[in-house]
Amino acid sequence: MTDRAEIGDAVLYHGNCLEILPTLPKVDAVVTDPPFGVGNFVQTTGRIMGRGANAGRAVRWNDAAPPPELFALLREKSLHRIIWGANFFNCFEARGGAIVWDKCQSMPNFSKADIASCTHFQKTEMVRIPWTNFTVTHEAETDHPCERPVRLYEWCITYLPTTGSVLDPYMGSGSCGVAATNLGRKFIGIEIERRYFDIACERIDAAYRQRRLFA
Ligand SMILES: C[S@@+](CC[C@H](N)C(=O)[O-])C[C@H]1O[C@@H](n2cnc3c(N)ncnc32)[C@H](O)[C@@H]1O
């Protein structure tokens, strides 16, 4: 079943993006962070830890990596794309470049940097954004195990060659939607897990109210 919520300029769907995407009109840009598909690793080592109410506990979540047809669908539905986890999916495109988010971590671990394929940079162009561009320590706002900083998404959206609509088909806790709302962009989000969908609705609603307050 698909639920739909409208908040300001955002339309949010609770459901499977592989089923919902074919029903949507074309957007200007996709900015997204699909599951990397490291589920086995997580279950055997418990290395993905919850936050907030789940702090200190390993959490299970919907970590199946997207199938190859997802990337074809995203190409059909958008003009520009920034897709995190590009080194896991090898979803680099013929003419695109890359964004590297350097988390500036001194200790060895499995996620020192994240790489996004980016269609509006040239093939040989790689832009490095150090963590310190956002906040020295990112205080998570939700218990989503993969919540990303809103400022990372604000950076991505600001540097798109368009001021049009932004789609995140793997919305999670809604950080991309909060960033789009803060920047006054139209946003479409899809999330398969009900509790993360509800968290995303709450955060995007709060961002919308905040923007209205100062409009
Ligand atoms: C890596 S997380 C995204 C985290 C997000 N960037 C944030 O800041 O909270 C990927 C999300 O995709 C969701 N997901 C997995 N498969 C999906 C599908 N087929 N359709 C829609 N959402 C899906 C997962 O439940 C998870 O919340």
Side-chain angles (χ1 to χ4, degrees), residues 127-143:
V127 177
R128 172 181 172 270
I129 32 176
W131 177 263
T132 44
N133 272 14
F134 309 121
T135 45
V136 176
T137 52
H138 166 60
E139 292 293 336
E141 294 174 24
T142 74
D143 65 4

Side-chain angles (χ1 to χ4, degrees), residues 3-14 24 166-168 171 186-190 197 204:
D3 277 348
R4 185 178 184 278
E6 278 190 42
I7 302 167
D9 283 336
V11 182
L12 311 179
Y13 295 89
H14 168 228
L24 299 180
V166 175
L167 164 70
D168 183 355
M171 174 168 68
K186 286 193 174 136
F187 178 74
I188 300 170
I190 308 172
F197 173 79
I204 292 166

Side-chain angles (χ1 to χ4, degrees), residues 15-17 33 144 147-148 153 169-170 172-173 175 191-193:
N16 185 343
C17 65
D33 164 34
H144 194 294
E147 179 200 310
R148 283 170 183 248
Y153 284 109
Y170 292 91
S173 65
S175 302
E191 170 56 43
I192 203 165
E193 292 218 19

